[in-house]
Amino acid sequence: MVEIQLRNVRSKAVESFVPAIPGRPTMYVCGPTVYDRAHIGNARSAVVFDVLFRLLRHVYGADAVTYVRNITDIDDKINGRAAETGRSISDITRETLGWYLDDMAALGVLEPTHGPRATDFVGQMIAMITSLISAGHAYEAEGHVLFAVESYAAYGALSGRSIEDMIAGARVEVAPYKRNPVDFVLWKPSDADLPGWDSPWGRGRPGWHIECSAMARELLGDSFDIHGGGSDLAFPHHENEIAQSCALGHGFARIWLHNEMLQVEGKKMSKSLGNFFTVRDLLDRGIPGEVIRLVFLGTHYRKPMDWTETKQKAAEATLRKWRALTEGIEPSASAAPAVTGALCDDLNTPGAIAQLHKLATDGDAARLLSSARLLGLLRADADDWTAGVDLSKWREALSRARETAKISKDYAEVDRLRTVLKDAGVEVRMAKDALELLPSDGFNPAKLEDQ
């Protein structure tokens, strides 16, 4: 069995991945808060951990991996959206979750083993909060329940922050009922206009952080292998998850992975700059989902990623070339070892893509196809967005013209077809007994449609 190496954010070291339960990997990833469309930064995280999910399934078997990606459907942003629109919270979350799943499917993201909704696990959250109070790690104050950060000595180890630094860097007004400015909310009261559940502390709703601890424990047990999410979640969300879980003696996650953030054309993505894009924005502009996916995978997950139009066009040209090369080909039995090896090296997707380019250059179409599918590309179940122009017809026409020219010694039609294809951005490769048509970076299918 191949060995997977992952850089653990918690230990700050690259570690060999060995499931706690032999042959049965477990993974938890923070999913969406369902109040609006997923932007491309959200999508990068989903794609990164989808690649890891695919790799784990490849190494250990599809049925051996348990992957949990939660759905946050209790949140003040959702409450605010309901107040703004006059729609019910259930309608908003149902619609938004449907959008999310559709958009992720367009990017080739597999559905996880479990996609728990926070509203279905409030009972488990209440039970966990009750245990934290009993153990002296939480306290009730004015209808709220707060985690006492100073009761957990290892607080800040994941993000590398000290409690003193957190207090000094606080930018918000500290609630008067907190014993310590950095104590965080486990439970808060709800008025009649807000969703709420009965609890020992009155009608209210859980804080954000407790949901992941409760759902991970319910679905994966006290300890599991991998916890993933964006680097923006390291503090306070993941730090708080660790504190409230480990304070009760739960082992929680052994390996922590964080993907870095995304920019657009070298600038932070923001609505004020006009460079804020949802996944649906790009799909509606006619950019295929697998093109978006390939752009994401071109940057290592631990490095900031820059979405650019240049990268998008290059990814589209590459995929056109690969699709043409693998047309009508059955995939090989397994991915190329060099591709698998790159992914096992801390999800080195740029290295894996470099190996795909090599397979394409070598003309190993069957191995290219199986290897690309390991990364969620060239999938059999995906729409062939290149099918608008059938290059096989041009290949047949050129092949017939060449056979005729061998007899007549008149190569005018061969030259004409090659010129048309070249002008459209298609590279023509002819050998004695072989003929390949490969779309290049400048491929323009419209130039072939009128021929």
Side-chain angles (χ1 to χ4, degrees), residues 39-45 47-48 107 231 258-269 275 277 282 291-312 315 349-350 353:
H39 59 68
I40 56 176
N42 303 140
R44 187 192 186 195
S45 183
V47 169
V48 164
L107 302 186
S231 61
H258 291 149
N259 65 279
E260 268 301 337
M261 297 295 97
L262 179 147
Q263 297 179 321
V264 175
E265 301 289 352
K267 297 180 180 179
K268 182 178 179 180
M269 187 171 65
N275 66 350
F277 301 115
L282 298 183
V291 170
I292 300 170
R293 185 181 182 97
L294 182 57
V295 174
F296 288 165
L297 300 183
T299 302
H300 193 278
Y301 80 93
R302 286 195 286 107
K303 293 183 178 180
M305 201 214 93
D306 191 15
W307 173 276
T308 68
E309 186 175 351
T310 299
K311 289 180 180 179
Q312 173 218 314
T349 54
I353 291 169

Side-chain angles (χ1 to χ4, degrees), residues 77 79-87:
K77 290 178 181 177
N79 300 338
R81 183 58 52 89
E84 289 171 11
T85 62
R87 299 178 63 196

